[in-house]
Amino acid sequence: MNVNQQPHMASPYGQPQPGYQGYPQPGYGGDNVPSGYPAQYAPYNGPGSAYQQGPPQGMRGPPTSGAPPVSGAQNYSQFGQGETQNGPPPMVAPPQRPPVSQPYTPAAVNLPGPQPTYGQQYGAPPVSMQQMTNQMASMQVGSTAPSPAGPGYAPQSFPQAPPVSQPPFSTAQVQPGPTQSYGRPLPSTQPSFPRPPLPTSQPSAFPAGPPPTSTPSQLPGVIQPQPPVSQPPPYHSGPPPTSTGFPPRPPFHGMQGLPMTSQGPPMASQGPPMASQGPPMASQGPPMGSQGPPMASQGPPMGSQGPPMASQGPQMGSQGPPMGSQGPPMAQANHILPTQPGMPPGPINTSLSGPPPQPGMQGYPAQQNGAFGQVRGPQPGYTGPYPGQQNYGAPSTAPAPAPAAPKRLDPDSIPSPIQVIEDDKANKGSEPFTTGVRGQAPPLVTTKFQVKDQGNASPRYIRCTSYNMPCNSDMAKQSQVPLAAVIKPLAPLPPDETPPYLVDHGESGPIRCNRCKAYMCPYMQFIEGGRRFQCGFCSCVTEVPPHYFQHLDHTGKRVDCYDRPELSMGSYEFMTTVDYCKNNKFPQPPAFIFLIDVSYNAVKNGMVGIVCQELKTLLDYLPRENPDVESNIRVGFVTYNKVLHFYNVKASLAQPQMMVVSDVADMFVPLLDGFLVNVSESRVVIESLLDQIPEMFADTRETETVFGPVIQAGLEALKAADCAGKLFVFHSSLPIAEAPGKLKNREDKKLVGTDKEKSLFQPQVSFYNTLAKECVAQGCCVDLFLFPNQYVDVATLGVVPTSTGGSIYKYTYFQAPSDQERFLNDLRRDVQKQMGFDAVMRVRTSTGIRVTDFFGSFFMSNTTDVELAGLDCDKTVTVEFKHDDKLSEETGALMQCAVLYTSCSGQRRLRIHNMAVNCCSQLADLYRNCETDTIINYFAKYAYRSILSSPTKNVRDSLMNQCAQILACYRKNCASPSSAGQLILPECMKLLPVYLNCVLKSDVLQPGADVSLDDRAYLRQLVSTMDVAESHVFFYPRLLPLQKLDVESMTLPMAVRDSEERLSRGGVYLLENGLNIFLWVGVSAQQELLQNIFGTPAFSQIDSNMTSLPALDNPFSKSLREIIESVRAQRSRYMKLMVVKQEDKLELIFKHFLVEDKNNNGGASYVDFLCHMHKEIRQLLS
């Protein structure tokens, strides 16, 4: 959608839309905040306090229409399917948000004060070019040749061309087919007008110089058509709602017949900015006017939008009369708007080079509703006008002085993550997702849906960055969209979905292609009456073994196709034969060995006692295939400080026996019989041991520990027992005692931000890399539970866990009373979860593409096999594909992930996941079928791995550059021609900038002064194995307004955007990011609400140290506690609850997670980043 079509008026709906409130960017990717966070965060300089944060109560919620379905030419409101608007999409009948103090007259509004003359008739468009030229007299026009506007586009006169560096927004969807119409369809009989040429380098509309950076979304120069009176908000990217629930607003007086051309007084000619027009338009009713100087200045006239959006479907214009005739024009979302009221006009600077706009700089266009850049009046519930904003609330009687601080881009007019999430839930959450259609993008990870496997793997197992791969490598290079799949082979399924079927072909084993060794799957084509099959991956023809033969039906399918999972399903398992086992013999059941640090710190903080007490009951819950049979897993116990203590817990002993190995340089296991035992047989001896360990070491003075020999001991024990297994290591401090793998403290804050910073993420010594390789060869997986009070060098200690498919859990400043619950829940889940041992994974692809790179926790000894000593249900492996030949649109591209592993009962199995995606020769098709959440998951993993070899600044720059190239390629090749001042985003990638900014500002890539190196190394390793749902909430946390909780319905309140502006002083909010849960309490929260949650009506009496809510006997308390439990159940790690009172010291930590705001480490706000991206895109296009 082009933003340029937007005339200068308030939005048709009176107010800017809620779903996108202004956001400063927080800087977080999702930090693990230890209970005693070290230093405080620096002061937050985000939104001014006058702006009360919370979505105003009566506000209309973000609209719900979402991205267009992948297939099907839907009518996307006035823009081509591929373009979305930037405002949030309307809900079906969004409640109208009452302006707080803006009078809203449903009748024609008179603007007080001198009214600008609009050179724009809303009625008949100028008849001749001459007329147009006259209208544009005040514009400086560059020398580009005019391109005829599509029908229905009245040219706007732009006194100045939009500055280049401000992005207007348009999320364009590229769908051929009808364009999106935001309002009523325009008749196509309108004459078409030539569009005035767009200057290429014009002076800036911002008198103050180049546009502010922080107004990215409000990119001036974008004019968005305003929606006709009863139009859906510009963001609506689905079919336009017919009645949006807004009362129709009569067209503005005096404006209605003006052509769009100069949508508001032209800036330049305007004389003083809008302000001079009299009170800000806000006072006129909806803030249309407040949108800033005439749109004309916003960028090219509508007409100038250039040729019709051909690629997007019919031209906008062709939809009917010119926008002007539609009543007030609607702002188009996804485009950014021109300057705002109160800014003095100035030449538009289209030169690409100036500094990015700075917040607060003059000259930012106001944003229209859907346009980026609408200026929002104060909203209900907000204490006052935006800082720096004219008093938007009350009509002002005198014109505001010209130099008033410019408004910044209205956050409500830029793409909202919440809106997209809600739209997807509404569109795709109701019916099951069937996997039978090739190349169909699944619902988002935030949508709850049921999957029916009909031949492709469920999105719970595999998610792709694009479900439509480019046919050749040139196209892939041009678009820069990464081609990758995030694979979670053992993902848990909800109770209403069937786990993969187990297929047993007996002695002969699974049927495979003779050449490429792909396993039998739905992509194999049976020929010659069923006697042979042709491989879908390499096209080789293989004989069907006699025992597997079956006749074909009239369609060429086997008659037993639907009786065999491997012929009809996307995911299934094969029982393997002895040929698939190590050394050609079936494996022994695996073993679990618990290795407990008993040095002074570990005993003193209570960890030793807690672990021993918990293991007594936990050993009854070891993983098993069949819940009625006891587990086959054997267990062993070791304690250590500077030396190691092994325990003989043989069932025949009356008491456990301890054996000490003090020669840590040459580790061996002092006993074979009695070390690994069956829990039920040795229960009495084990319990006696677990009671004695805390007493034996209660008075220890030993502070030094070893670490390398501890893992060697577990490895040697598994070798002796000839089995795979898992080591659970509970460790507290840097291993400085003399022993292999000894480390020194190398934490040096002075290296942060320098070229040498990368060395801090690399292991100190090579000892652990060698040890990891030995562990993988034996199938020895290591899970590490750390309880540090200072630097422990997670980058080095984590080498073995991350290379063996293990996990790291970190409890900084562990204190039993507050951290015990989190640790025990993590430990229980870690011990009980389903996992495979001694695994090897290989991904095969059809001819034309191949796997070139892998990300995750594993080891690779060659270029194709991912070796995992352990693979649990939470781990993902991300694979990247590259072209090695052309692909064809008919056959698409196929991938098959095969994981060979030992189950917890000792069976050797193969789990197969198959996936087919489409191939396209048009870039528009590629951009229509991408999944932003998966792209961000890939980018984060790629960036987090890159910091091992490059300075973090270079890593951040290359990510930004790639993102700009992706969007510039779309703009250049898929979007309809429009002014350079507009920012146009593909519908399915409109959230790419906000999410990418969250990755760039995360603690790993842009740390604050108080983020320790260990935390960064920990988060870096954690993200490498995250699935898409976890990375999504980690980078863009979920923020729920609990004051809106409906106790009866038990549905969660709709989330709000992660910005301080969205918090209301009278509210209570819950924020979760997969590692932490915060309960933020506003200083003016209602007494009844506080009484229901905390059992006290007074804000001052709430204890901010509580880690669990009191169990009170009222419906609200019960619902809230159930919500917290259900949120925790969705995540792989237990989230500790932190209560944060507004204006308390802990609030600095909480604000770090408000990722749309600016943060203290220098991370940009969403608005600023969007402006910056727009500038980058324009530079690439020029």
Side-chain angles (χ1 to χ4, degrees):
M1 343 154 44
N2 285 347
V3 186
N4 312 338
Q5 323 191 150
Q6 179 165 332
H8 235 44
M9 311 162 53
S11 63
Y13 330 112
Q15 270 96 346
Q17 309 194 157
Y20 292 83
Q21 266 155 217
Y23 280 24
Q25 282 258 27
Y28 177 63
D31 250 5
N32 180 24
V33 182
S35 50
Y37 212 83
Q40 294 199 347
Y41 283 67
Y44 173 79
N45 27 1
S49 51
Y51 206 93
Q52 220 179 291
Q53 344 236 49
Q57 258 44 10
M59 238 164 119
R60 132 165 157 238
T64 43
S65 60
V70 187
S71 57
Q74 274 181 235
N75 190 4
Y76 269 94
S77 331
Q78 178 168 286
F79 310 132
Q81 232 176 200
E83 321 217 68
T84 38
Q85 293 229 33
N86 267 343
M91 297 197 254
V92 185
Q96 156 131 6
R97 187 168 86 204
V100 178
S101 51
Q102 303 177 245
Y104 176 87
T105 340
V109 184
N110 288 320
L111 315 180
Q115 254 191 278
T117 25
Y118 289 80
Q120 178 165 284
Q121 315 134 227
Y122 271 91
V127 198
S128 64
M129 202 41 201
Q130 177 58 49
Q131 264 178 262
M132 283 217 33
T133 336
N134 303 343
Q135 283 184 352
M136 294 166 66
S138 56
M139 265 174 86
Q140 292 184 349
V141 183
S143 54
T144 46
S147 62
Y153 278 48
Q156 295 182 245
S157 67
F158 288 91
Q160 301 116 337
V164 181
S165 57
Q166 311 189 3
F169 238 164
S170 138
T171 19
Q173 297 172 186
V174 209
Q175 231 160 272
T179 48
Q180 288 185 254
S181 69
Y182 276 78
R184 33 196 162 116
L186 316 167
S188 51
T189 53
Q190 227 23 28
S192 61
F193 299 102
R195 78 171 189 194
L198 183 29
T200 12
S201 66
Q202 291 192 319
S204 149
F206 312 27
T213 352
S214 64
T215 32
S217 1
Q218 112 180 26
L219 307 167
V222 182
I223 298 184
Q224 327 208 350
Q226 285 187 267
V229 180
S230 60
Q231 279 189 338
Y235 230 141
H236 170 235
S237 38
T242 30
S243 71
T244 40
F246 302 97
R249 205 181 68 229
F252 270 79
H253 232 31
M255 280 181 126
Q256 190 155 308
L258 316 178
M260 229 143 139
T261 19
S262 72
Q263 277 152 319
M267 235 160 141
S269 61
Q270 232 156 254
M274 270 200 129
S276 66
Q277 274 135 233
M281 282 198 171
S283 62
Q284 296 144 335
M288 248 166 134
S290 65
Q291 260 135 211
M295 284 211 144
S297 62
Q298 286 154 352
M302 234 157 121
S304 68
Q305 262 147 204
M309 302 187 162
S311 63
Q312 279 135 246
Q315 304 149 232
M316 239 151 112
S318 64
Q319 290 169 322
M323 257 167 138
S325 66
Q326 290 170 172
M330 165 161 147
Q332 288 194 208
N334 294 1
H335 302 286
I336 303 199
L337 272 186
T339 48
Q340 332 208 326
M343 299 181 180
I348 292 197
N349 172 7
T350 31
S351 70
L352 301 168
S353 52
Q358 306 276 322
M361 269 176 80
Q362 292 195 302
Y364 244 95
Q367 304 202 355
Q368 217 0 13
N369 229 358
F372 283 167
Q374 167 178 321
V375 179
R376 221 172 38 222
Q379 320 208 329
Y382 286 66
T383 42
Y386 244 80
Q389 190 159 297
Q390 294 168 319
N391 179 2
Y392 260 14
S396 57
T397 39
K407 303 336 155 240
R408 38 172 233 173
L409 196 55
D410 177 14
D412 277 346
S413 61
I414 56 183
S416 158
I418 306 305
Q419 191 55 56
V420 172
I421 289 168
E422 291 301 319
D423 290 349
D424 192 75
K425 284 179 182 167
N427 298 335
K428 298 186 179 178
S430 49
E431 61 234 28
F433 174 72
T434 53
T435 68
V437 184
R438 182 179 82 192
Q440 179 187 14
L444 298 180
V445 285
T446 43
T447 298
K448 199 173 173 187
F449 59 99
Q450 186 190 8
V451 180
K452 295 212 164 141
D453 185 342
Q454 295 184 353
N456 280 310
S458 159
R460 304 192 202 288
Y461 295 123
I462 301 183
R463 277 189 179 262
C464 301
T465 52
S466 175
Y467 289 86
N468 216 334
M469 288 213 173
C471 281
N472 57 62
S473 57
D474 293 344
M475 198 171 147
K477 275 198 195 90
Q478 186 183 359
S479 72
Q480 288 286 312
V481 174
L483 302 177
V486 179
I487 306 173
K488 191 176 185 181
L490 301 184
L493 299 180
D496 58 352
E497 293 178 22
T498 321
Y501 290 100
L502 183 58
V503 178
D504 188 354
H505 285 316
E507 298 287 305
S508 59
I511 313 295
R512 308 176 68 172
C513 166
N514 273 345
R515 184 198 290 161
C516 69
K517 302 297 183 205
Y519 294 89
M520 180 54 65
C521 67
Y523 317 138
M524 302 299 190
Q525 182 70 41
F526 286 87
I527 53 177
E528 297 179 24
R531 286 187 291 280
R532 307 170 84 191
F533 68 88
Q534 183 170 24
C535 177
F537 296 89
C538 69
S539 305
C540 174
V541 174
T542 302
E543 293 285 333
V544 173
H547 71 89
Y548 196 68
F549 174 79
Q550 184 53 274
H551 295 286
L552 308 184
D553 64 13
H554 63 288
T555 63
K557 272 192 174 165
R558 283 174 53 125
V559 191
D560 62 353
C561 174
Y562 293 104
D563 302 332
R564 291 190 175 274
E566 74 274 20
L567 299 180
S568 57
M569 312 282 280
S571 302
Y572 42 88
E573 291 198 314
F574 287 121
M575 284 290 288
T576 65
T577 59
V578 76
D579 307 335
Y580 289 83
C581 303
K582 200 178 277 181
N583 306 326
N584 281 348
K585 58 178 189 183
F586 284 111
Q588 299 281 335
F592 281 1
I593 303 176
F594 298 90
L595 304 111
I596 307 166
D597 175 350
V598 289
S599 63
Y600 176 75
N601 282 338
V603 173
K604 192 183 69 165
N605 67 19
M607 180 272 281
V608 176
I610 292 168
V611 171
C612 292
Q613 187 58 37
E614 178 63 24
L615 287 178
K616 286 195 245 177
T617 48
L618 192 51
L619 295 178
D620 290 330
Y621 297 96
L622 297 176
R624 63 205 72 200
E625 299 280 331
N626 178 346
D628 309 326
V629 182
E630 68 177 49
S631 176
N632 289 341
I633 294 176
R634 292 170 296 162
V635 298
F637 303 89
V638 175
T639 56
Y640 66 92
N641 38 46
K642 270 198 333 196
V643 296
L644 277 76
H645 321 106
F646 291 80
Y647 297 93
N648 183 344
V649 283
K650 202 161 145 186
S652 56
L653 296 174
Q655 279 292 322
Q657 294 173 346
M658 177 205 259
M659 297 183 189
V660 180
V661 176
S662 52
D663 181 8
V664 289
D666 183 17
M667 187 44 60
F668 66 99
V669 179
L671 72 165
L672 289 178
D673 190 27
F675 179 65
L676 291 179
V677 297
N678 177 293
V679 177
S680 55
E681 292 170 9
S682 300
R683 176 174 306 280
V684 179
V685 192
I686 291 173
E687 292 204 349
S688 166
L689 170 66
L690 294 172
D691 285 333
Q692 289 176 37
I693 289 174
E695 295 166 12
M696 277 192 287
F697 299 99
D699 301 320
T700 184
R701 310 308 304 159
E702 185 54 74
T703 55
E704 294 189 357
T705 57
V706 294
F707 185 71
V710 178
I711 293 173
Q712 286 176 323
L715 173 60
E716 292 302 320
L718 294 177
K719 279 184 181 169
D722 192 24
C723 66
K726 189 172 190 177
L727 311 184
F728 295 82
V729 183
F730 302 90
H731 188 79
S732 68
S733 57
L734 192 69
I736 54 173
E738 271 313 318
K742 170 186 173 177
L743 301 178
K744 57 180 195 291
N745 187 335
R746 57 166 179 169
E747 184 173 34
D748 185 355
K749 284 279 171 92
K750 292 196 286 294
L751 296 183
V752 174
T754 68
D755 286 357
K756 291 186 179 166
E757 182 179 13
K758 58 180 183 271
S759 65
L760 301 174
F761 293 107
Q762 297 162 355
Q764 269 190 54
V765 292
S766 61
F767 170 83
Y768 292 101
N769 299 74
T770 314
L771 181 56
K773 190 173 174 178
E774 292 173 30
C775 288
V776 172
Q778 182 56 40
C780 168
C781 173
V782 179
D783 278 2
L784 177 58
F785 291 81
L786 285 170
F787 303 85
N789 288 335
Q790 54 198 16
Y791 180 72
V792 289
D793 200 351
V794 175
T796 305
L797 298 188
V799 169
V800 179
T802 52
S803 306
T804 58
S807 308
I808 303 173
Y809 296 85
K810 185 166 174 281
Y811 309 90
T812 312
Y813 305 121
F814 180 81
Q815 292 171 323
S818 58
D819 299 305
Q820 175 173 353
E821 186 185 18
R822 177 163 78 104
F823 164 54
L824 290 179
N825 278 283
D826 283 342
L827 177 60
R828 286 168 194 151
R829 190 170 190 283
D830 196 55
V831 169
Q832 297 173 41
K833 65 187 172 189
Q834 284 300 321
M835 66 175 298
F837 299 88
D838 210 359
V840 182
M841 172 175 136
R842 182 175 281 190
V843 179
R844 292 179 174 84
T845 51
S846 54
T847 313
I849 52 168
R850 62 195 169 88
V851 178
T852 56
D853 209 350
F854 300 86
F855 302 84
S857 285
F858 50 75
F859 178 78
M860 293 187 77
S861 53
N862 59 34
T863 56
T864 54
D865 296 334
V866 175
E867 299 174 48
L868 300 127
L871 173 62
D872 63 51
C873 58
D874 299 323
K875 295 288 183 298
T876 61
V877 175
T878 300
V879 297
E880 185 180 8
F881 305 100
K882 289 271 193 319
H883 287 78
D884 56 8
D885 203 346
K886 286 196 167 60
L887 294 167
S888 88
E889 295 190 60
E890 291 72 59
T891 55
L894 312 176
M895 65 187 88
Q896 181 180 76
C897 164
V899 182
L900 177 63
Y901 70 96
T902 301
S903 71
C904 55
S905 59
Q907 279 183 346
R908 199 72 177 147
R909 295 183 181 174
L910 264 166
R911 178 166 288 207
I912 310 293
H913 296 298
N914 301 292
M915 187 74 173
V917 297
N918 285 333
C919 293
C920 58
S921 53
Q922 298 296 319
L923 283 165
D925 293 326
L926 166 66
Y927 283 101
R928 197 172 298 125
N929 288 284
C930 290
E931 189 178 51
T932 303
D933 292 325
T934 311
I935 291 174
I936 290 295
N937 179 283
Y938 165 82
F939 275 156
K941 290 173 180 178
Y942 180 80
Y944 282 17
R945 185 180 68 184
S946 302
I947 62 171
L948 294 174
S949 52
S950 309
T952 49
K953 182 179 185 309
N954 298 11
V955 173
R956 296 200 340 260
D957 290 348
S958 76
L959 266 191
M960 258 188 287
N961 187 33
Q962 186 168 355
C963 179
Q965 285 182 327
I966 290 172
L967 300 176
C969 173
Y970 172 80
R971 171 66 189 264
K972 183 176 174 186
N973 301 288
C974 310
S976 57
S978 55
S979 97
Q982 278 175 278
L983 172 52
I984 300 185
L985 301 174
E987 173 60 29
C988 67
M989 286 191 189
K990 62 187 178 193
L991 299 181
L992 189 62
V994 62
Y995 290 162
L996 185 76
N997 189 36
C998 297
V999 174
L1000 296 173
K1001 301 197 307 185
S1002 63
D1003 287 343
V1004 175
L1005 296 181
Q1006 193 167 23
D1010 53 344
V1011 179
S1012 71
L1013 265 175
D1014 273 347
D1015 274 334
R1016 295 176 68 198
Y1018 166 73
L1019 292 173
R1020 193 188 78 76
Q1021 292 166 345
L1022 189 64
V1023 169
S1024 71
T1025 60
M1026 279 186 178
D1027 67 12
V1028 182
E1030 288 174 316
S1031 63
H1032 174 271
V1033 76
F1034 176 79
F1035 289 114
Y1036 194 91
R1038 178 158 62 154
L1039 182 60
L1040 304 172
L1042 299 176
Q1043 65 275 19
K1044 298 186 178 166
L1045 174 63
D1046 178 2
V1047 182
E1048 264 87 63
S1049 76
M1050 263 318 289
T1051 50
L1052 290 177
M1054 189 167 88
V1056 294
R1057 292 169 65 174
D1058 293 336
S1059 169
E1060 194 177 1
E1061 289 185 358
R1062 310 283 156 165
L1063 303 175
S1064 137
R1065 296 168 71 82
V1068 175
Y1069 295 80
L1070 184 140
L1071 182 143
E1072 63 112 358
N1073 73 337
L1075 298 179
N1076 307 88
I1077 291 187
F1078 294 93
L1079 195 64
W1080 183 90
V1081 186
V1083 74
S1084 339
Q1086 296 172 352
Q1087 293 189 352
E1088 184 190 4
L1089 189 61
L1090 300 182
Q1091 182 71 51
N1092 283 341
I1093 300 174
F1094 303 103
T1096 170
F1099 177 80
S1100 59
Q1101 288 171 14
I1102 296 169
D1103 175 13
S1104 55
N1105 296 319
M1106 64 169 70
T1107 54
S1108 61
L1109 296 177
L1112 305 174
D1113 188 15
N1114 68 68
F1116 193 94
S1117 171
K1118 195 160 167 259
S1119 297
L1120 177 54
R1121 283 177 288 118
E1122 283 172 8
I1123 285 172
I1124 290 174
E1125 284 319 303
S1126 74
V1127 164
R1128 281 173 171 159
Q1130 292 168 25
R1131 309 291 174 217
S1132 62
R1133 301 194 170 215
Y1134 186 85
M1135 297 181 285
K1136 175 177 161 182
L1137 177 71
M1138 294 175 73
V1139 175
V1140 177
K1141 294 162 71 172
Q1142 187 176 3
E1143 294 162 11
D1144 190 37
K1145 60 183 186 298
L1146 273 178
E1147 201 183 22
L1148 289 170
I1149 297 175
F1150 173 77
K1151 284 180 180 174
H1152 187 53
F1153 297 88
L1154 298 177
V1155 291
E1156 288 199 22
D1157 297 337
K1158 179 163 100 205
N1159 72 12
N1160 301 322
N1161 331 344
S1165 68
Y1166 174 18
V1167 169
D1168 293 354
F1169 184 71
L1170 198 58
C1171 284
H1172 178 72
M1173 283 312 299
H1174 184 57
K1175 185 169 146 244
E1176 295 288 312
I1177 291 166
R1178 292 167 85 157
Q1179 278 177 337
L1180 289 171
L1181 293 175
S1182 66

